[in-house]
Amino acid sequence: MPPPGINTDGVSAGAIRSFLQGLETAFPEKHKDMTTQEACVEFVVPQTEEKQCAYIDVMRDQNGSDDVRPATVFVSHAWRYKIVDVLTTLLEFAEEEESKHGRKTHFWFDLFMNNQHQNVTANLPQEWWSTTFKDSIASIGKVLLVLTPWNNPVPLTRAWCLWEIFCSISQPEVELEIRLPKGERGQLRQALAQNFDVVTDALVDVQAEKAEAWKAEDRDMIFGAIRASVGFPALDEAVKNQMRQWCLQAALSFVDELEQSGETETQLYGLLCGQVGAVLDQFGEHERAIELHMKDLGVALAHGHEHSQDTGVTYVNLSEAHRSNGDYEQAAECGAKALAIFRATVGDEHPLTAKAYANIGSAAAEAGDAETGVTCCQRAVDILVGTLGEDHRDTACALQTLGFAHDNNGDTSKAVALYERAIRAGCRALGEEHPLVAQSYNSLGTVLLEGKQYADAIECFNKALAIFLVTVGEEHPSTAMAVGNLGNAYDERGDFARAVEYYERDLAIKRAVLGDAHPDIGLALANLGTTLVKQGHGARGVGMVEEAVAVFMGTLGPEHPFTVATERNLGIARGCAARIAAEQGGDGLGVGIGKFGGVVRMGGWLKKRGGRHKGFRTRFFRLTDTALTYCKSSRDGDIPRGHIPLEHITAVDVEGRDLRVSVPGRIYIMQCVEGKSSLTLEDWSHAITTAMEEAK
């Protein structure tokens, strides 16, 4: 006989109220403390014993057919919960659904639906769990997870609940909603305002292989289904990702609630805005992060706290968000305000003061002021080593920032040494599996890749990826960064098949995290598309680059350098694909295609002056058959910060230490970078002049 199906009827909110009233009448003294298991044994079983039926049959007899209809919500809960907490949460949900959407809710709740006189899951084959059970959840369409307590959620330790969560999030047609009992929302809100990371850590401590169930046979069968399908690591990761997203959405909802109630000048509101802003910055939503940090700052200023340490911390957060968003002037300005506050309140030799120096230094390094960048970052390291010691997370962060400053200044050897030192400090302070350690591995890999040390770079990126997967999950910008860097490394090494594999994964993660309308989606599409053309899939690759142009148009506008560069590259990709298709009768292999500027003739590091009265900044230059382009790194996927079409160049000459490339209204000035390239300025001058002549 085939395994039994699941009765997908559900009960109404009215039927649940009647059940609660009956429970209170039967147990006036203890009903509020009874678990679902106790309610089953002491209330449900006695009322269904004569007929040996499910409690839903009693409800039909008592309440009529209106209270029993096809379920619209599958309830996931733990039997050790207090039954009153669970059912009142369902009633709150049903009330919201009716008031907001005008629709009635019918709940599939196993206490009512299953015959408690039978072991309904006994002797079921393993495939039943991943077919019939999963399909039944899909037919209902929505899973409501009742989560309690927030700081040690029982469902994340129960095999049934974990499997129910997975059955929902692994099916796109199923919606998962997570609810806390109303009494716990205030506790969670307060905790999030104090330390978002601590709350998140509590909510993502998922280890499915250690989960329990009331019945050992249920646990064994669910575990068998897990092993036969996704496996425990994948299940853990999927649930962790879901909990992280829920935690962020909960925090945002608390901010919205306080705004709607007019409580925007309270300390709680400011704290929540600051915490959520920091998390949004980590997720790449820099503009929203800046908006929330400004609200936090507004609360502080409204209370006359413009010179307090907390306000200094808010300026630090704003500085980091502005830097991530590419506004280095604002980042430096906020860092300077933080520095002034900290020097006045805690003195020159304090970790907070060091943090402000690091903010100023990193912003300066990004803006091309190498001297200020290195000086401020070194000051931050000196303060932290002196106050906190080498083996502290803040010291590891500062070492990472100083390494970045030296890397931008063209001093590769110092950058490598500092990144390695940051890794050691981070491992000792935080353990080997921490996002900060992964960031340092990623930075070290980038420098090694610039030096064409492919094997070592790939090893670093793989270490970073492994740590990010454990600590922040698959669907996170940091994970996407490591995946994209692996794509870059394989692309530069000429292993286009592996590069495409990682670029596709990078794109999938970014779409899951950022949606379709974000500049980072355009970057991922451009990387994937141009590599597909090089691999020989011209039509598909050109389509990807076309999509990248559309994304940049919609998010950055037609005049942005990313849009202009990608449009130019689209023309090159189309021409390459068409030419090779004509020659080979296929869609073509674009050998030698430069991602943003034509067929590459020469590449190497030069220091470029940002403009009159501005400092030099190290950039990777490529000379193609159509333009001289410069990027932040040597990776093909790095969109150029600018390009100089050969047709616009009027003169090229070497004067002392300077290579001067003249165009109407401007002279670009470049210098060699010690130790990073064997090419001389004369080599560049000759190559550019030759390319100009051949392009005529």
Side-chain angles (χ1 to χ4, degrees), residues 420-434:
E420 290 175 340
R421 188 176 162 193
I423 290 170
R424 292 193 296 271
C427 287
R428 289 192 292 262
L430 304 164
E432 294 184 0
E433 290 187 344
H434 192 277

Side-chain angles (χ1 to χ4, degrees), residues 609 651-655 658-662 667-670:
R609 195 167 76 181
V652 182
D653 56 88
V654 177
E655 292 187 10
D658 297 341
L659 171 68
R660 303 169 69 87
V661 177
S662 301
I667 298 176
Y668 292 86
I669 298 177
M670 282 78 76

Side-chain angles (χ1 to χ4, degrees), residues 678-692:
S678 60
L679 295 171
T680 66
L681 296 182
E682 286 75 13
D683 292 333
W684 281 103
S685 178
H686 176 75
I688 296 170
T689 302
T690 301
M692 290 168 58

Side-chain angles (χ1 to χ4, degrees), residues 393-411:
R393 66 171 296 158
D394 290 353
T395 308
C397 286
L399 289 166
Q400 165 85 7
T401 304
L402 181 57
F404 169 78
H406 278 295
D407 186 20
N408 269 7
N409 196 32
D411 198 332

Side-chain angles (χ1 to χ4, degrees), residues 180 185 188 192 245-255 257:
L180 287 173
R185 279 181 57 81
L188 177 62
L192 285 170
Q245 291 293 331
W246 174 79
C247 194
L248 177 57
Q249 291 305 314
L252 287 167
S253 73
F254 291 143
V255 172
E257 288 169 7

Side-chain angles (χ1 to χ4, degrees), residues 161-229:
C161 291
L162 290 172
W163 185 243
E164 290 162 0
I165 295 169
F166 180 75
C167 287
S168 64
I169 62 181
S170 63
Q171 302 186 94
E173 67 273 24
V174 180
E175 180 183 353
L176 174 66
E177 182 146 350
I178 303 173
R179 287 294 181 101
L180 287 173
K182 186 173 288 184
E184 290 203 33
R185 279 181 57 81
Q187 298 173 30
L188 177 62
R189 185 175 72 176
Q190 194 66 40
L192 285 170
Q194 298 302 321
N195 194 319
F196 190 98
D197 290 336
V198 169
V199 176
T200 307
D201 289 346
L203 287 167
V204 299
D205 187 18
V206 181
Q207 293 179 295
E209 205 160 7
K210 296 182 179 179
E212 297 295 335
W214 279 108
K215 299 172 184 176
E217 58 267 31
D218 284 0
R219 180 180 183 274
D220 293 342
M221 294 303 290
I222 291 172
F223 278 19
I226 293 171
R227 293 189 186 98
S229 54

Side-chain angles (χ1 to χ4, degrees), residues 638-675:
D638 201 3
I639 300 288
R641 296 300 177 93
H643 70 285
I644 311 168
L646 296 182
E647 60 186 352
H648 293 171
I649 299 175
T650 58
V652 182
D653 56 88
V654 177
E655 292 187 10
R657 299 174 57 192
D658 297 341
L659 171 68
R660 303 169 69 87
V661 177
S662 301
V663 299
R666 181 174 180 183
I667 298 176
Y668 292 86
I669 298 177
M670 282 78 76
Q671 294 180 350
C672 285
V673 183
E674 294 296 329

